[in-house]
Amino acid sequence: MGASGKVLVVGDDTRSFLATVRSLGRRGLEVHVAPYQLGAPALRSKYIRAIHRLPYYLDGGERWLQAVEALFRTERFDLVIPCEERALLPLYRHRDVLEPLCRLAIPDAAALAAFFDKYSTRELAAGAGVPVPRGRLLSVADTSETLLAEFSLPLVLKHRRSYSWQELYVRKAAAVVETRAELAHWLQANRDEIDQVFAEAYFAGLGGGVSVLCDHGRVLLAFEHQRAHEVTGSSFYRRSMAIDRARRDAVAAMAAAIGYTGLAMFEFKLDTQSGAWRLLEVNARPWG
């Protein structure tokens, strides 16, 4: 794509979306956006040429698909970049209709299965020899007693998928429970979908990630960062660091296993004293 190309970026947050808009705009590309909230601060970026309002993806997405197809035919974008799952998953579901109209920066079927299901990510990692925290899927028979017989507190509980088609605009975040009472309450609150949850042993350490651009399973570019100033599981500052060969090799092995093409950030936890580390999850899209 030349410097005169036209790109649609879907999203509106001040992290992945704004960084993507700035990067494309600084390259001289014509940047259009499709936000969820018209009042989002990131929409004030000087690099945004036009803002398009699309309907929410509801009731099978018929209105959404009609609007997106009309927009693609009118604007003739060279590339569409979704910055999060609420946009990525509908584009993937309707790719047969939309891909003939423009290039979509979305994972293929193998990557979607491997990276958008956190338990499948664990299985892919294990097959590639990449260390992950000890964990297992839950069942309807599980209680706080059965889990505490296997795991110590604190314990991490994760839904296999952050977003589901039933609740596309509701994000299911991981929970770190620290007491028996918290564990029992969480299990009760999530009892109806317990078969889509897994438990993972808590691995103490500093958060970080290896970010890559891949082409058919080959890592073209890699960048590693560590978190700083973490507060309740989130970080507001990050610093670059020299790429660790073992973690880069781990990322390369997983990307090669599914022939991955695209952007991805592989999230790790690192014990700075022992040097041990574990893979937590993968964001196969622009990340926050």
Side-chain angles (χ1 to χ4, degrees), residues 122 133-138 142 144-157 183 198-202:
R122 287 175 51 89
R134 184 169 59 88
R136 70 163 175 84
L137 289 170
L138 302 190
D142 273 311
S144 55
E145 287 72 23
T146 62
L147 290 175
L148 292 179
E150 297 180 52
F151 300 94
S152 59
L153 294 171
L155 179 63
V156 183
L157 298 165
L183 176 57
F198 63 97
E200 195 170 78
Y202 183 81

Side-chain angles (χ1 to χ4, degrees), residues 54-280:
L54 295 173
Y56 282 92
Y57 190 94
L58 302 170
D59 302 323
E62 183 176 354
R63 286 187 62 245
W64 177 90
L65 180 59
Q66 290 175 351
V68 170
E69 189 174 359
L71 178 63
F72 285 10
R73 291 186 184 279
T74 301
E75 295 293 343
R76 298 184 180 277
F77 298 112
D78 295 292
L79 183 68
V80 174
I81 303 177
C83 288
E84 34 108 300
E85 284 91 330
R86 293 181 296 175
L88 188 153
L89 293 175
L91 289 172
Y92 177 84
R93 172 172 275 189
H94 299 285
R95 65 194 183 282
D96 292 344
V97 175
L98 299 175
E99 278 184 330
L101 302 178
C102 87
R103 180 172 294 179
L104 305 178
I106 60 175
D108 62 14
L112 195 79
F115 294 149
F116 289 80
D117 179 327
K118 293 180 175 63
Y119 197 78
S120 293
T121 302
R122 287 175 51 89
E123 293 182 314
L124 175 65
V130 178
V132 295
R134 184 169 59 88
R136 70 163 175 84
L137 289 170
L138 302 190
S139 74
V140 293
D142 273 311
T143 64
S144 55
E145 287 72 23
T146 62
L147 290 175
L148 292 179
E150 297 180 52
F151 300 94
S152 59
L153 294 171
L155 179 63
V156 183
L157 298 165
K158 295 181 179 180
H159 292 269
R160 295 184 66 149
R161 298 172 181 83
S162 296
Y163 293 89
S164 67
W165 286 110
Q166 293 76 17
E167 296 180 295
L168 184 59
Y169 296 101
V170 178
R171 183 176 184 272
K172 295 181 172 65
V176 180
V177 295
E178 299 186 350
T179 68
R180 182 185 294 268
E182 288 179 5
L183 176 57
H185 177 77
W186 196 96
L187 292 175
Q188 182 60 37
N190 292 272
R191 183 58 61 185
D192 291 343
E193 49 190 359
I194 203 70
D195 60 341
Q196 295 300 310
V197 172
F198 63 97
E200 195 170 78
Y202 183 81
F203 185 83
L206 184 65
V210 175
S211 308
V212 291
L213 173 66
C214 298
D215 179 38
H216 293 88
R218 185 167 63 95
V219 175
L220 303 179
L221 295 170
F223 173 85
E224 185 160 358
H225 77 271
Q226 282 187 348
R227 289 181 166 193
H229 306 292
E230 286 188 323
V231 179
T232 63
S234 297
S235 69
F236 301 93
Y237 299 94
R238 300 165 185 83
R239 58 175 175 265
S240 60
M241 60 182 295
I243 295 175
D244 178 84
R245 174 173 286 276
R247 285 189 288 277
R248 187 194 184 283
D249 289 347
V251 169
M254 293 178 67
I258 59 170
Y260 183 64
T261 294
L263 288 170
M265 192 273 280
F266 291 68
E267 186 177 340
F268 295 92
K269 271 280 189 78
L270 170 65
D271 184 331
T272 55
Q273 292 188 344
S274 68
W277 51 270
R278 299 289 185 272
L279 175 75
L280 298 185

